[in-house]
């Protein structure tokens, strides 16, 4: 149990999640209860001896534990308030209305990668792509660094006109996730669009060696859009679009293509 607690606290130093996810907090305190019960529980016949011998250390331990609990409560409350302001910002109708709430969330918890990611995404879809990379990069730096986060940063850089930076970002992501067919296919398309055909082909061959069918669909989807990818998948017996992995990346590419190619955005008419 103590090893589990140490592992959780260590991971909290390099991750933006920690106690911000309710299930993490529940698991932590369950394991903490097991650890404490294992330390303080003694056979009935030896409890009197324990009381007389270890009374002062136990009292000191209880005081330290209480102070630690108060500190943890204050820490968690601050982070909870930051999450409240983040959710409030995301509920606003306009970017201008959201920015003050984002600013408060960052003041309360400047290490929450979710806040930086949300700001960057909001700037991106509101026509301020030039400002988005700073926040999306910051999200990665504080620990929110999934393959999707690297993809969104590359999207912002492409839309801002910096394809060289986008290629560097995707290479960085592949350094973290070397077996990501998604990132390798994405990099292959970015290299092709940047006039680096030989590098593109080599990267795509690597992606196909990992999972050829996934690579073929990813490349077509990223390069040509969902409609063409779906048709090709059906005709060639490849996986359907919604079977691509990671599935959340499907929506990341959909958003990018709709920003770059507005004609691909499907508008549902009012009933």
């Amino acid at each position: 149990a103590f090893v589990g607690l140490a592992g959780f606290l260590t991971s909290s130093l390099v991750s933006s999640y920690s106690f911000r996810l309710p299930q993490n907090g529940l698991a932590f305190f369950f394991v903490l209860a097991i650890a404490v019960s294992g330390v303080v529980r003694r056979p009935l016949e030896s409890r009197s001896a324990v009381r007389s011998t270890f009374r002062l250390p136990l009292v000191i331990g209880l005081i330290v534990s209480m102070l630690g609990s108060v500190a943890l409560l204050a820490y968690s409350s601050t982070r909870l308030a930051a999450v409240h302001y983040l959710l409030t910002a995301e509920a606003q109708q306009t970017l201008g209305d959201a920015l003050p709430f984002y600013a408060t969330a960052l003041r309360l918890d400047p290490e929450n990668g979710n806040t930086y990611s949300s700001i960057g995404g909001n700037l991106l879809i509101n026509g301020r792509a030039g400002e988005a990379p700073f926040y999306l990069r910051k999200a990665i730096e504080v620990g929110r660094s999934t393959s999707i986060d690297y993809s969104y940063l590359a999207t912002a850089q492409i839309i801002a006109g910096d394809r060289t930076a986008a290629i560097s970002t995707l290479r960085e992501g592949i350094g973290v996730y070397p077996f990501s067919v998604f990132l390798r296919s994405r990099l292959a398309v970015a290299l092709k669009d940047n006039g680096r055909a030989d590098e593109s082909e080599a990267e795509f061959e690597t992606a196909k060696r990992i999972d050829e069918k996934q690579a073929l669909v990813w490349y077509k989807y990223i390069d040509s859009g969902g409609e063409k990818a779906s048709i090709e998948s059906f005709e060639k017996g490849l996986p359907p679009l919604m079977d691509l992995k990671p599935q959340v990346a499907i929506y990341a590419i959909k958003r990018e293509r709709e920003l770059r190619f507005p004609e691909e955005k499907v508008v549902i008419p009012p009933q």
Side-chain angles (χ1 to χ4, degrees):
F2 277 110
V3 169
L5 293 174
F8 175 81
L9 294 173
T10 301
S11 72
S12 296
L13 298 175
V14 295
S15 164
S16 69
Y17 299 101
S18 189
F19 286 105
R20 295 185 183 93
L21 295 181
Q23 58 267 37
N24 287 358
L26 288 172
F28 177 85
F29 285 106
F30 277 126
V31 176
L32 177 63
I34 294 170
V36 171
S37 68
V39 171
V40 302
R41 187 169 53 211
R42 294 289 185 275
L44 289 173
E45 59 271 14
S46 65
R47 286 188 179 177
S48 58
V50 170
R51 289 196 193 96
S52 59
T53 307
F54 297 106
R55 180 171 297 170
L56 182 59
L58 284 174
V59 170
I60 294 174
L62 287 172
I63 293 173
V64 171
S65 298
M66 290 174 65
L67 292 175
S69 298
V70 171
L72 182 59
L73 177 62
Y75 174 88
S76 300
S77 298
T78 302
R79 270 57 190 174
L80 181 62
V83 171
H84 166 73
Y85 281 103
L86 168 59
L87 295 175
T88 303
E90 292 177 337
Q92 302 306 304
Q93 296 298 314
T94 67
L95 178 62
D97 291 337
L99 288 177
F101 294 104
Y102 279 132
T104 302
L106 286 179
R107 281 197 300 271
L108 291 171
D109 188 1
E111 298 300 316
N112 189 349
N114 293 333
T115 304
Y116 292 106
S117 179
S118 182
I119 295 172
N122 214 333
L123 289 167
L124 183 61
I125 64 176
N126 280 281
R128 294 168 62 174
E131 301 170 65
F134 170 82
Y135 293 96
L136 295 171
R137 166 59 65 184
K138 188 68 177 176
I140 291 173
E141 290 174 356
V142 299
R144 184 187 162 102
S145 53
T146 67
S147 60
I148 314 305
D149 293 299
Y150 286 105
S151 178
Y152 271 125
L153 175 55
T155 293
Q157 291 164 334
I158 289 171
I159 294 176
D162 194 348
R163 291 185 179 275
T164 301
I167 289 171
S168 297
T169 294
L170 292 170
R171 289 197 187 281
E172 179 186 343
I174 289 171
V176 181
Y177 303 102
F179 297 104
S180 172
V181 177
F182 163 63
L183 284 180
R184 288 192 179 275
S185 301
R186 172 113 223 248
L187 177 58
V189 174
L191 288 166
K192 177 185 73 70
D193 290 343
N194 208 38
R196 296 157 67 172
D198 291 342
E199 293 177 69
S200 172
E201 185 177 347
E203 195 63 54
F204 190 44
E205 286 301 318
T206 302
K208 288 195 290 185
R209 283 196 295 272
I210 298 171
D211 190 324
E212 183 173 5
K213 290 184 177 181
Q214 287 270 322
L216 290 168
V217 181
W218 268 125
Y219 188 96
K220 190 68 176 180
Y221 178 38
I222 296 167
D223 187 48
S224 304
E227 183 178 354
K228 292 181 179 179
S230 296
I231 293 171
E232 184 169 300
S233 295
F234 178 77
E235 291 177 344
K236 295 184 177 181
L238 297 172
L241 208 60
M242 292 308 295
D243 281 355
L244 291 174
K245 300 187 184 336
Q247 195 173 71
V248 66
I250 299 170
Y251 302 101
I253 297 302
K254 179 178 182 291
R255 174 175 290 184
E256 176 183 327
R257 290 201 59 88
E258 288 177 351
L259 289 170
R260 294 176 61 195
F261 310 104
E263 66 274 11
E264 292 186 10
K265 188 172 184 178
V266 177
V267 179
I268 301 175
Q271 299 298 318

